[in-house]
Amino acid sequence: MPERADALARAAALRKRFEDLGAQVVETPILQPAEVLLDLYGEDIRARAYVTSDALRGEQMLRPDFTVPVVQMHMTQGAEPARYTYSGEVFRRQELDEDRANEYLQVGYEVFDRNDVAAADAEVFAQIKEAVAGLQLRAATGDIGILMAAVRGLSTTEARRAALMRHIWRPRRFRSLLNRYAGRVAPSPRRQALLAAGDPFEGAGPFNGVRDKAEIAARIDALREDAAAAPIAAQEMAGIEALLKVRETLPFALEQLRDIAVDLPSIAPALDRLEARTEALAARNVDVANLDFEASFGRTSMEYYDGFVFGFYAEQAPDLPPIATGGRYDALTRHLGRGAEIPAVGGVLRPGLILQLERM
């Protein structure tokens, strides 16, 4: 592993690149309020972050990334358009692979600009790509917004659409829900018995859990409504499954997705945005004819991405994490802006991994 001093020097050089593009340098506290992150991601974030507590400030987290605090800062006092850069440590718990760093340097470039969303996407991707030029990395791209549009357009209940949207970033759970809603998997005998019971509370005994009787009853009613709902149409299921399998170079992926849009017309506006982004990337001299696009890419990353996503990988060192990643997070600005919003996209690099690759 590279020495810390070398990594800090490379981080400073990378940040200077973005400063020269007009980005404003920002600093964020290492300790972040846990409430905001838990509100955004639920308890899942605890598995990836270091959590502590403070007598005055409540639960705190060691900074898992920079994007959330940068968005908070911008929505409070930022001008438009705006470009930001930063460098510093982030912290992630590693419970499966002890060789992966739980503390590492990150350098980022974030663009807040509502004038031309496609151009902003292309700008961030191209600048990150240029920063890692010479490392022989494979670039992968995707667009979470296409799958989101497909889910929103399904002819099913709002509760089912909401559940699928919530689990887009959990592919196995998402697939399980799809199969259940399509009628491919029968309810468990225990659930069937619960739903068929005239009084599901008969013989239940005293209530001593977190939920009270009214909450449990509401949940049972919701399960009964779901059981009575018609299954997702076979045509829509086929469209979703075909979408998730798309993995091609960008022009061919767009062509396949246009065909799928015949069965999933709700994705058409997202495909128009993908086409505009492709043109913007080409205008920045990105070789889009050989740029990989994966419809499922980004579904195991941070959950605030809701559009364009990308990553750069060292195929000569497949055990390494991505060297750089990024994406669009418009909905995050709306959430943290209390109703106000601005299109935003950003990317981050790991200078320590860059040095490690250069020394191989």
Side-chain angles (χ1 to χ4, degrees):
M1 290 295 290
E3 295 295 330
R4 178 174 170 78
D6 294 337
L8 286 169
R10 179 57 61 91
L14 289 167
R15 193 179 76 175
K16 181 65 165 54
R17 288 179 57 94
F18 301 131
E19 289 182 67
D20 291 344
L21 296 172
Q24 175 186 343
V25 176
V26 292
E27 301 285 348
T28 70
I30 290 178
L31 275 177
Q32 293 288 318
E35 180 182 2
V36 174
L37 292 164
L38 289 170
D39 185 39
L40 284 169
Y41 312 125
E43 290 295 322
D44 286 359
I45 192 66
R46 289 187 188 275
R48 291 175 281 171
Y50 290 96
V51 182
T52 186
S53 61
D54 183 280
L56 298 178
R57 296 175 179 83
E59 275 196 315
Q60 303 283 299
M61 285 186 183
L62 288 178
R63 183 172 57 205
D65 81 339
F66 280 86
T67 302
V68 170
V70 169
V71 171
Q72 287 179 301
M73 179 213 68
H74 177 83
M75 300 310 291
T76 301
Q77 58 193 33
E80 295 184 22
R83 284 159 176 75
Y84 301 107
T85 186
Y86 48 79
S87 64
E89 291 88 353
V90 295
F91 306 85
R92 304 278 179 86
R93 288 174 58 183
Q94 305 293 345
E95 298 184 347
L96 300 177
D97 186 351
E98 63 180 14
D99 292 328
R100 287 207 170 192
N102 57 358
E103 172 186 354
Y104 54 87
L105 286 168
Q106 197 176 75
V107 179
Y109 181 55
E110 314 284 340
V111 174
F112 294 72
D113 192 341
R114 66 178 77 250
N115 295 322
D116 190 334
V117 169
D121 285 347
E123 174 188 341
V124 170
F125 178 86
Q127 293 300 339
I128 297 292
K129 183 176 186 294
E130 186 176 324
V132 296
L135 292 178
Q136 299 181 334
L137 303 181
R138 181 183 79 87
T141 67
D143 192 329
I144 297 291
I146 298 172
L147 181 56
M148 287 180 163
V151 169
R152 291 190 185 105
L154 289 175
S155 302
T156 189
T157 66
E158 180 56 36
R160 286 181 170 181
R161 286 193 293 268
L164 288 167
M165 288 290 290
R166 191 165 57 250
H167 291 288
I168 277 177
W169 293 271
R170 302 170 185 86
R172 297 176 82 178
R173 177 61 174 159
F174 182 85
R175 167 60 67 179
S176 175
L177 287 173
L178 267 182
N179 287 336
R180 196 176 93 203
Y181 297 157
R184 295 175 175 177
V185 178
S188 67
R190 184 177 178 182
R191 175 169 291 189
Q192 291 183 35
L194 173 67
L195 299 181
D199 179 5
F201 295 103
E202 184 178 359
F207 290 89
N208 55 11
V210 176
R211 295 181 179 179
D212 60 24
K213 183 175 181 179
E215 291 174 310
I216 297 172
R219 174 59 179 160
I220 293 173
D221 288 342
L223 290 174
R224 284 174 169 163
E225 289 178 12
D226 182 73
I232 294 175
Q235 179 176 319
E236 291 183 335
M237 279 294 293
I240 291 279
E241 290 172 332
L243 189 160
L244 291 173
K245 292 177 182 176
V246 171
R247 183 172 183 172
E248 257 291 0
T249 53
L250 192 46
F252 289 109
L254 182 56
E255 185 177 323
Q256 288 183 16
L257 289 165
R258 290 290 188 194
D259 290 339
I260 293 168
V262 174
D263 293 328
L264 297 175
S266 62
I267 70 174
L271 299 186
D272 291 341
R273 291 190 289 273
L274 173 60
E275 185 170 3
R277 183 186 311 127
T278 302
E279 294 171 356
L281 287 166
R284 284 198 168 257
N285 297 316
V286 174
D287 182 10
V288 295
N290 292 298
L291 182 60
D292 290 340
F293 181 92
E294 304 167 24
S296 285
F297 183 76
R299 292 179 63 204
T300 56
S301 60
M302 283 292 193
E303 296 178 21
Y304 47 64
Y305 292 131
D306 58 0
F308 179 45
V309 284
F310 64 86
F312 288 86
Y313 299 85
E315 292 187 303
Q316 68 273 33
D319 56 318
L320 288 183
I323 312 304
T325 57
R328 176 160 291 280
Y329 48 88
D330 296 350
L332 181 62
T333 71
R334 181 169 61 251
H335 183 91
L336 297 177
R338 301 178 185 276
E341 63 180 296
I342 178 173
V345 59
V348 295
L349 303 115
R350 291 183 57 170
L353 293 180
I354 291 173
L355 287 174
Q356 189 174 339
L357 280 174
E358 288 175 345
R359 295 174 182 178
M360 282 184 173

